[in-house]
Amino acid sequence: NTVSFSLIAILFAIIAIGIANTMLISVRERTREIGTLRAMGMHRGQVLLMFMLEALILGAFATTVGAIIGSLIALAINLAAIEVPIAAMRAILLSDVLRLKVEIGQTVLSVVVLTIFTGLSALWPSLRAARMQPVEALQSIE
């Protein structure tokens, strides 16, 4: 359990860095757009909300698609009835055939948790976008 937890924690850290990096690049590329919106009267909270909603929508879509594809792959493996050739593995799996179980509740929970995680990972870049001053953002060189 400790090894699994450690590997999952490392995986989550890598994913968080990837999401934050992607959002930072998005903020950097849209600096002038943010400056224009702020100059037209958009408040900091609205800029924050715009980037957070973008991250949450992308996260929800990506995790949902991933869960559907993963479930379909598990179903295909079950339908293929792949035999386990090694006796020791049969003893561990308690079966001669590889079977994967997909539970709807766990799948939905995973989608929700990973979507929230995506939002938390995008929080710092979104706050950075919201703190931009309109004049500085409009003067930035791309």
Side-chain angles (χ1 to χ4, degrees), residues 74 77-78 81-82 84 93-101:
I77 289 172
N78 288 341
I82 300 170
V84 179
L93 296 174
L94 301 175
S95 176
D96 294 337
V97 178
L98 181 62
R99 292 189 190 139
L100 301 175
K101 184 176 181 181

Side-chain angles (χ1 to χ4, degrees), residues 3 9 24 27 32 43 45 48 50 53-55 59 61 98 107 109 118 139:
V3 172
L24 280 170
V27 168
R32 286 184 181 241
H43 298 288
L48 175 69
M50 180 178 72
L53 281 175
E54 178 182 338
F61 178 75
L98 181 62
T107 305
L109 178 64
T118 300
Q139 291 176 351

Side-chain angles (χ1 to χ4, degrees), residues 44-124:
R44 291 175 191 249
Q46 293 171 316
V47 173
L48 175 69
L49 182 64
M50 180 178 72
F51 278 96
M52 288 300 295
L53 281 175
E54 178 182 338
L56 289 171
I57 290 169
L58 287 171
F61 178 75
T63 55
T64 301
V65 169
I68 291 169
I69 291 171
S71 297
L72 290 174
I73 290 171
L75 178 64
I77 289 172
N78 288 341
L79 291 174
I82 300 170
E83 290 189 29
V84 179
I86 302 169
M89 290 302 291
R90 285 187 209 142
I92 293 171
L93 296 174
L94 301 175
S95 176
D96 294 337
V97 178
L98 181 62
R99 292 189 190 139
L100 301 175
K101 184 176 181 181
V102 177
E103 294 185 12
I104 300 296
Q106 284 184 333
T107 305
V108 170
L109 178 64
S110 297
V111 168
V112 170
V113 167
L114 288 170
T115 300
I116 292 169
F117 180 73
T118 300
L120 292 174
S121 298
L123 185 59
W124 179 63

